[in-house]
Amino acid sequence: NNNNNTNNGNSSSSSSGGGGGCGISTSLHSNCGSEPWRAQLLLHHHMDVPTMERKTHDNRYRTAVDLEIDAMTIVHNVCIYHGSSTTLAESCRQFLRECQHCLLELQLCADCYKWQHCREDALWFCMPCSPRHRLVYAKQKGFPYWPAKVIREGSSTCDVRFFGSQHQRANIDNGHIKSITVNVHSLQIKKTSAYTKALEELKQHQVFLNEADKDPALNSALPASSPAATQ
């Protein structure tokens, strides 16, 4: 009977829109056969993805930890109700990992996160952030020096994100970080199409920074249609 009820719970959670089965929706209680008490007995606090979405939309999360706790509650509930070794439980753990990754990115730079995820704009990486990122040339092992933004500075390394088509991230030793004002010829960078694209993106970013200096209201809000974008 318990196995049958668990299977019923799986199907009802998926069909009820309860976050793809993440968390136990109220409709599950009416589909537990002869044991409607089971979810109520096992689960202390109900949580699902739609509830998290509503709380986010209503600005009810006061800290990043509050959101993370709700995501952890979903994992806890699914593991208790469906079993920790189920595919559903692993999907929820992956959901938690993605939430934690997004929260970390938000803490590093909310503007970068906003430009990347909330704007359909090819120039999102060129937009100015507040506070602004230090611009450098960074050298990853096996690659030439490359223009980049410093996302986070450590005692011996810098977490940088490179200009160019992929906007890749890397932790670079401070010894392989050069100021953006360095004589580029001294870096012996081979000019390729990828480097040309990265350099163009760097220059566009600097144009946007100059525009923001002239009008502080444009800082972190400069549209791609700005005259600066066509200079």
Side-chain angles (χ1 to χ4, degrees), residues 141-162:
K141 186 176 181 180
F143 295 91
Y145 277 97
W146 209 262
K149 296 178 183 179
V150 176
I151 305 300
R152 177 171 51 182
E153 300 196 35
S155 58
S156 59
T157 63
C158 285
D159 178 2
V160 305
R161 193 165 193 174
F162 294 101

Side-chain angles (χ1 to χ4, degrees), residues 20-218:
C22 293
I24 307 300
S25 66
T26 54
S27 64
L28 178 61
H29 294 267
S30 61
N31 288 292
C32 285
S34 60
E35 299 178 342
W37 48 267
R38 187 162 172 259
Q40 186 175 4
L41 177 67
L42 293 176
L43 307 180
H44 175 69
H45 177 65
H46 164 74
M47 182 52 58
D48 56 32
V49 174
T51 300
M52 292 181 65
E53 290 177 338
R54 287 193 298 271
K55 291 177 69 173
T56 302
H57 183 268
D58 296 340
N59 199 27
R60 288 156 56 190
Y61 286 117
R62 293 294 175 245
T63 68
V65 173
D66 292 338
L67 188 147
E68 184 179 9
I69 288 174
D70 279 353
M72 293 173 70
T73 299
I74 289 177
V75 176
H76 175 269
N77 287 352
V78 169
C79 288
I80 292 296
Y81 194 90
H82 296 285
S84 60
S85 300
T86 60
T87 301
L88 185 59
E90 180 53 37
S91 296
C92 290
R93 283 191 286 265
Q94 178 60 32
F95 168 71
L96 173 60
R97 288 191 289 268
E98 291 175 359
C99 284
Q100 291 170 330
H101 173 74
C102 288
L103 290 174
L104 176 60
E105 292 298 300
L106 276 168
Q107 291 169 358
L108 289 177
C109 181
D111 284 329
C112 278
Y113 189 89
K114 175 180 67 175
W115 296 132
Q116 181 176 4
H117 295 282
C118 301
R119 291 177 63 95
E120 296 181 359
D121 196 320
L123 296 177
W124 70 267
F125 195 69
C126 302
M127 302 299 180
C129 297
S130 180
R132 295 180 179 181
H133 298 289
R134 183 161 68 100
L135 300 178
V136 299
Y137 283 96
K139 188 181 188 312
Q140 194 172 12
K141 186 176 181 180
F143 295 91
Y145 277 97
W146 209 262
K149 296 178 183 179
V150 176
I151 305 300
R152 177 171 51 182
E153 300 196 35
S155 58
S156 59
T157 63
C158 285
D159 178 2
V160 305
R161 193 165 193 174
F162 294 101
F163 286 91
S165 58
Q166 300 298 321
H167 305 123
Q168 294 172 325
R169 291 271 291 275
N171 283 314
I172 307 296
D173 289 340
N174 288 341
H176 292 150
I177 299 288
K178 303 293 184 183
S179 170
I180 202 67
T181 59
V182 70
N183 186 334
V184 179
H185 297 293
S186 67
L187 302 180
Q188 299 180 337
I189 303 173
K190 183 179 179 181
K191 291 187 178 181
T192 62
S193 58
Y195 175 71
T196 299
K197 178 176 176 57
L199 202 58
E200 289 174 352
E201 200 171 54
L202 168 64
K203 291 179 179 178
Q204 184 63 73
H205 177 63
Q206 291 172 321
V207 168
F208 284 164
L209 290 177
N210 290 334
E211 286 293 307
D213 285 338
K214 296 175 184 177
D215 184 358
L218 292 177

